[in-house]
Amino acid sequence: MTLPTSQATTLLGPDDWEEAIADTAGLQLVLAGPGTGKTEFLARRAAHLLQTGVPGSDILILSFSRRSAAALDARIAHRLDRPLGGAGATTFHSFAHRLLEEHHFSEGRSVPILLTGPEQVRFVSRLLAQEEPTEWPLTFRPLLTSSTLAAEVADFVMRCHERLIDPLRLGEMARERADWRALPAFLDRYRAALREAGKIDYGLLVAEAVEILSSTDPGFSHVIVDEYQDTSPAQARLARLAARSGNLTVAGDPNQSIYSFRGAEPGNVQDFRHEVSEARGRVYVLGRSFRVPAAILASAHRLVAANPPSFGPAPVPADHDGGVEVYTFDQRSAEAEWIAGEVERLWHSEGLPLTSIAVLVRSTRHLLPELSRALDRRAIPHDRPDVRLVDHPAIRLFHDTVVAATSPEGTPDRDLALRRLLLGPAVGMSLAAERELTRTRRRRGLAWPAALGDAPVDTAGLAELLEDTSWATEMPAVDGFWHAWDRMPGLEALVNDPTRADYRRAWHSFSRMLERQTERDPTISLAESLEASLSGDFEAAPLLRISRSEGLVVTTLHQAKGLEFEVVFVADAVDGVFPDTRRVARLLQPQLLSGHGLTDGATRARLHLEEERRLAYTATTRARRRVVWTATLAGIDEGERRPSRFMLAAAGLDSFEEVTSPPPNDDRLFDPLTVSAAEAQLRRLLLDPAAPEAARLAALRTLTAYPAWDPSGYAGVPDPGPDTGVLDGPIRLSPSQATSYDQCPRRYVLERRLRAIEVDSPYLRFGSIVHEVLEETELEAVESGRSHGDIETALRHLEAVWERHPPFGPPAYDQAWYRRAATLLVGMYADWPGRQGTPVAVEAPLDMELGGVQWVGRADRIDRVDAGLRIVDYKTSKSPPTLKEAARSLQLGYYLLAAAASPEMTAHGRPVAAELWYPLAERRKIFPFEMENLDEVRQTLEEVATGILEEDWTPRVGAHCERCQFRDVCPAWPDGREAYR
């Protein structure tokens, strides 16, 4: 395109910058192709102004994104070698928010809260539900309460604000469109509702900033704007008004305008060029690319050759070598595996840092899952752009609970959510138990809350959440979350599991997000918050990601804007995906607001394809050395697939027949790059019958002799222990050990004697704390002559004991356990479980010799009743035994035997009863021992002692096996038997 003769245009080489940088007056347009140093040029201009005495407060530097603003700041600070002193770069929205703050403070008003995208849709949805249907076109009336129309209207009003279209102007435009007739009045009501609620959306924020600047001089002597091709009409107007002094420099590249879906106006650069021409300003063209070599730059220009011509000459390419490659595959897995293998080769063989390599995709829905698995197999750290906090299993657990609570009984959504919860890590029910529970529920016609009462694990808290759903639908989101947290079973184990640190991080981040959300909108419930998070990027996307300094960059083409890499893979380049040829027509057609005559589909499709070409151009020019395009021609059940038409342009080919196969990166053909690859190669050689015998023997020798493949060095494999007995010297047993051995000797020896796992848990800590409180409370009662303590005394001791113990975790988690302890104590003392009796001893030691072994025990309390002595043991669990199990309790039986053998106890009477007390049990509280079973208990205890002394660790199969952590190595089970072959 020929530039107007009245306009001064200067092509700048690297040696011509200084004079141009110092020329800061008037309107200036800096046309900067990829890698030509646009950011450096603007940073030097800002540094020059500061060094020549212009105050930092008089300079405004605007950029499209926080990332580009940070890059400008870093370069300016480097030039000055000191802090910027108020001259830092900012985004358009940050500048607009600052103007709004100053304006509102000057008028004594509070600053409105800025709505996120999903919050704006929710706000619009509430307004639409109050609309009079007759005011809307007939086709829209059934949709007024739908989320679909709410999203469409929210997008439409945002586009109005970005184009500075107020209700009056929209009313004039709507005269020619019957489907818009309700929108002007709604836009007016929407703005009024925002003002009343003290809120504002992103588009209106800039529009109001424009209105403020229309009557106020901000006092900037110089304004600098980066990435001007990505500005909306409102942002362009904001920059123009801020530059009342006339000293305005904008920089951009029309070929990199890729954000029209966010309101960017590709014609802004062209319009500003005309302004510069009329004002006799200057156009500078940065003439050399410091990043993009000739082959890659030529490829980029071929990609946009079909677009309307840009203005200004193409830059001179960088001096170093580079290349563009295109490859096709017959399976998506093959494409993913090849990319992952090539990344591994570049990393290990060529020494490229992972952060200098990028895999870019147009859509995150297709190739990324397969690619991520291929990268994981090679231990290549990477970051997927589709990872969101709400997709983490820790948060999905709460989402399933909300769905289960809010979905009607009998619906597939509720049944599926509950199945995931029951089989998931929180509840941990076995598949067989879950199926049996489901059959029982259907057979008896039970609702889920009632059915959970028959579950073999503790699900009382989950049943409570299903019965009262106000926590999910009525409470503020963060309060609903903590309410569910207090009642969800299994969270304690997950929090304390050292292998699930990511769960703790996810819950922490989610609770913080809900706190911020509740501060912004106290009316939003947990159900609404999760729905918004799943439907958009509502503060959820950037959690749980590795930083760019740690791994391979895997991101979308749009998100790569402004970055640079040594090697770029443009993956999944298939027609329909890239370019995206979907005809997604918006219901309200907001594109017509531009006034560019976009009424026919052909014109809209042409402009969309032009932007897709600019996106390909932008992606290609991110690379310094190498660009690799890949595509899969066909996949299973996918039908015909064609490589992207951009691949031919990128490589300068005439047909796809010229596309070559990718060079192999299989470790079968090259020397292995990693230990795992070397091991795989050696194993293949060992099992290859066609290989020479000497080579196979050498492979075997290496695999067995080399320390890297020593099986004893694998993670989780302990050092071999001594081939001697487990017991070492005299032993002492307790009734709890007897119970454990009687259930399964194998599990007993692994847990109690060999300490194969850490048996400590929050439940054990909770039980010891409660017992300590009960001991102090009952001792005080005995000393004062009462039969038992009271609620006030118990709660006072609870507070003191709780302070002496380390917290269970974060404050909210610790308080949940505290409330559980208080509930137990209140329940016990409000309705004392036992018959009236006189206390004889509290925490009484009961020791005796039985079966040739010394036994030790401690009874929680011993009362004197009419017939003799009653022994009581407190239990802090919600899940009591059956009456039959309690009647044969080894623990109670031992206490009776030991008390009968103790002169100190028999001085108060003969032991005649023993009971287990379960204050937290929902139905029965007291579970008695049957005295006729005492001889059977004595015999069992003697057999236990004999078995332990003889070191008989034979496994015993039973219902307890479902939750046994040693089942995988237990010879009683087929899957564990493999460990002994």
Side-chain angles (χ1 to χ4, degrees), residues 335-380:
E335 181 181 359
E337 285 292 335
W338 185 85
I339 292 173
E342 189 68 2
V343 169
E344 183 180 45
R345 190 186 66 79
L346 291 169
W347 182 23
H348 291 295
S349 182
E350 297 191 20
L352 282 182
L354 286 176
T355 51
S356 68
I357 309 170
V359 181
L360 310 182
V361 291
R362 180 65 174 88
S363 170
T364 62
R365 293 191 298 269
H366 303 288
L367 182 69
L368 282 192
E370 193 75 49
L371 176 62
S372 187
R373 287 191 290 270
L375 293 169
D376 285 338
R377 282 192 291 272
R378 291 166 172 81
I380 299 175

Side-chain angles (χ1 to χ4, degrees), residues 277-594:
S277 175
E278 293 172 359
R280 296 192 176 276
R282 285 168 300 288
V283 175
Y284 289 119
V285 180
L286 303 186
R288 174 177 288 279
S289 177
F290 300 100
R291 176 176 70 235
V292 189
I296 296 178
L297 193 60
S299 173
H301 282 292
R302 284 195 297 269
L303 286 165
V304 293
N307 283 3
S310 183
F311 41 92
V316 176
D319 293 334
H320 57 271
D321 293 332
V324 177
E325 306 157 36
V326 292
Y327 303 119
T328 57
F329 301 82
D330 59 357
Q331 293 184 32
R332 186 173 287 161
S333 59
E335 181 181 359
E337 285 292 335
W338 185 85
I339 292 173
E342 189 68 2
V343 169
E344 183 180 45
R345 190 186 66 79
L346 291 169
W347 182 23
H348 291 295
S349 182
E350 297 191 20
L352 282 182
L354 286 176
T355 51
S356 68
I357 309 170
V359 181
L360 310 182
V361 291
R362 180 65 174 88
S363 170
T364 62
R365 293 191 298 269
H366 303 288
L367 182 69
L368 282 192
E370 193 75 49
L371 176 62
S372 187
R373 287 191 290 270
L375 293 169
D376 285 338
R377 282 192 291 272
R378 291 166 172 81
I380 299 175
H382 62 285
D383 184 16
R384 286 180 49 179
D386 60 340
V387 173
R388 303 177 302 169
L389 174 63
V390 287
D391 294 323
H392 191 278
I395 310 306
R396 280 289 177 177
L397 187 153
F398 279 90
H399 176 256
D400 284 337
T401 309
V402 168
V403 171
T406 57
S407 300
E409 185 70 46
T411 57
D413 285 347
R414 188 178 214 201
D415 292 347
L416 183 58
L418 278 162
R419 189 166 191 264
R420 285 195 295 262
L421 286 171
L422 295 177
L423 296 175
V427 177
M429 189 180 293
S430 70
L431 181 60
E434 184 272 332
R435 288 177 174 172
E436 179 60 29
L437 180 67
T438 299
R439 285 193 292 267
T440 301
R441 184 181 71 85
R442 291 174 177 170
R443 185 173 61 250
R444 297 171 58 188
L446 298 175
W448 270 110
L452 291 174
D454 296 327
V457 294
D458 180 13
T459 55
L462 180 58
E464 181 183 341
L465 293 173
L466 299 183
E467 288 176 336
D468 181 5
T469 63
S470 59
W471 62 273
T473 59
E474 298 175 18
M475 290 184 184
V478 69
D479 294 341
F481 171 75
W482 289 121
H483 181 91
W485 178 275
D486 289 343
R487 289 154 181 80
M488 276 292 294
L491 294 188
E492 299 90 344
L494 292 177
V495 167
N496 288 282
D497 186 346
T499 67
R500 297 186 186 269
D502 59 319
Y503 275 61
R504 295 193 291 273
R505 289 196 299 270
W507 283 325
H508 174 75
S509 298
F510 188 61
S511 64
R512 294 288 302 275
M513 185 199 85
L514 293 178
E515 287 173 3
R516 293 193 299 269
Q517 205 170 342
T518 301
E519 289 174 1
R520 296 157 60 83
D521 184 0
T523 67
I524 191 169
S525 67
L526 182 59
E528 291 171 323
S529 173
L530 282 167
E531 181 182 1
S533 298
L534 287 165
S535 64
D537 58 351
F538 195 33
E539 291 194 68
L543 275 307
L544 306 180
R545 292 190 176 185
I546 61 173
S547 68
R548 285 198 60 231
S549 62
E550 297 174 2
L552 172 72
V553 179
V554 181
T555 188
T556 64
L557 297 165
H558 283 94
Q559 291 170 339
K561 175 73 177 298
L563 302 177
E564 65 175 57
F565 307 93
E566 290 296 313
V567 178
V568 168
F569 294 87
V570 182
D572 197 27
V574 178
D575 252 0
V577 177
F578 188 39
D580 183 356
T581 56
R582 295 171 299 169
R583 299 291 189 265
V584 184
R586 303 307 299 257
L587 188 64
L588 298 174
Q589 300 189 65
Q591 72 276 0
L592 301 181
L593 293 169
S594 66

Side-chain angles (χ1 to χ4, degrees), residues 344 377-379 667 672-682 709:
E344 183 180 45
R377 282 192 291 272
R378 291 166 172 81
D667 60 19
L673 302 173
T674 62
V675 171
S676 60
E679 181 179 2
Q681 189 179 70
L682 288 170
W709 297 301

Side-chain angles (χ1 to χ4, degrees), residues 255-258 561 613-622:
N255 281 329
Q256 296 188 61
S257 179
I258 59 174
K561 175 73 177 298
R613 292 192 191 106
R614 294 195 294 268
L615 184 58
Y617 173 95
T618 303
T620 298
T621 55
R622 299 308 92 205

Side-chain angles (χ1 to χ4, degrees), residues 466-799:
L466 299 183
E467 288 176 336
D468 181 5
T469 63
S470 59
W471 62 273
T473 59
E474 298 175 18
M475 290 184 184
V478 69
D479 294 341
F481 171 75
W482 289 121
H483 181 91
W485 178 275
D486 289 343
R487 289 154 181 80
M488 276 292 294
L491 294 188
E492 299 90 344
L494 292 177
V495 167
N496 288 282
D497 186 346
T499 67
R500 297 186 186 269
D502 59 319
Y503 275 61
R504 295 193 291 273
R505 289 196 299 270
W507 283 325
H508 174 75
S509 298
F510 188 61
S511 64
R512 294 288 302 275
M513 185 199 85
L514 293 178
E515 287 173 3
R516 293 193 299 269
Q517 205 170 342
T518 301
E519 289 174 1
R520 296 157 60 83
D521 184 0
T523 67
I524 191 169
S525 67
L526 182 59
E528 291 171 323
S529 173
L530 282 167
E531 181 182 1
S533 298
L534 287 165
S535 64
D537 58 351
F538 195 33
E539 291 194 68
L543 275 307
L544 306 180
R545 292 190 176 185
I546 61 173
S547 68
R548 285 198 60 231
S549 62
E550 297 174 2
L552 172 72
V553 179
V554 181
T555 188
T556 64
L557 297 165
H558 283 94
Q559 291 170 339
K561 175 73 177 298
L563 302 177
E564 65 175 57
F565 307 93
E566 290 296 313
V567 178
V568 168
F569 294 87
V570 182
D572 197 27
V574 178
D575 252 0
V577 177
F578 188 39
D580 183 356
T581 56
R582 295 171 299 169
R583 299 291 189 265
V584 184
R586 303 307 299 257
L587 188 64
L588 298 174
Q589 300 189 65
Q591 72 276 0
L592 301 181
L593 293 169
S594 66
H596 292 334
L598 303 179
T599 54
D600 66 289
T603 301
R604 292 198 299 272
R606 175 178 57 79
L607 293 177
H608 175 71
L609 186 56
E610 288 176 3
E611 181 157 321
E612 290 289 289
R613 292 192 191 106
R614 294 195 294 268
L615 184 58
Y617 173 95
T618 303
T620 298
T621 55
R622 299 308 92 205
R624 289 177 49 85
R625 230 178 84 172
R626 184 181 174 201
V627 180
V628 183
W629 290 71
T630 64
T632 298
L633 295 178
I636 298 174
D637 299 328
E638 291 181 303
E640 291 296 324
R641 290 163 56 93
R642 292 194 314 158
S644 170
R645 66 196 76 173
F646 294 162
M647 292 181 70
L648 293 180
L653 303 177
D654 295 324
S655 69
F656 286 113
E657 285 73 19
E658 299 179 59
V659 177
T660 61
S661 299
N665 52 32
D666 196 330
D667 60 19
R668 304 181 199 204
L669 304 175
F670 297 100
D671 290 336
L673 302 173
T674 62
V675 171
S676 60
E679 181 179 2
Q681 189 179 70
L682 288 170
R683 288 183 182 276
R684 280 194 296 269
L685 178 59
L686 175 64
L687 298 175
D688 183 2
E693 182 179 356
R696 297 177 67 190
L697 288 172
L700 177 62
R701 172 72 174 172
T702 305
L703 285 169
T704 55
Y706 189 60
W709 297 301
D710 180 5
S712 65
Y714 290 165
V717 177
D719 294 333
D723 190 15
T724 58
V726 174
L727 304 181
D728 183 16
I731 63 171
R732 295 201 306 172
L733 298 179
S734 66
S736 65
Q737 289 189 53
T739 301
S740 177
Y741 183 90
D742 186 56
Q743 187 180 70
C744 179
R746 171 73 57 137
R747 183 173 179 177
Y748 163 78
V749 70
L750 290 171
E751 284 186 353
R752 296 298 190 95
R753 293 294 171 182
L754 298 178
R755 304 291 183 184
I757 61 169
E758 180 56 56
V759 295
D760 185 29
S761 74
Y763 294 99
L764 293 177
R765 291 179 54 202
F766 174 78
S768 65
I769 289 175
V770 170
H771 277 78
E772 188 175 341
V773 172
L774 289 170
E775 179 183 3
E776 294 184 5
T777 303
E778 292 308 302
L779 283 174
E780 185 174 329
V782 170
E783 291 172 357
S784 62
R786 291 178 288 143
S787 61
H788 61 79
D790 54 58
I791 294 174
E792 291 76 12
T793 305
L795 293 179
R796 173 166 50 82
H797 283 297
L798 173 63
E799 186 173 353

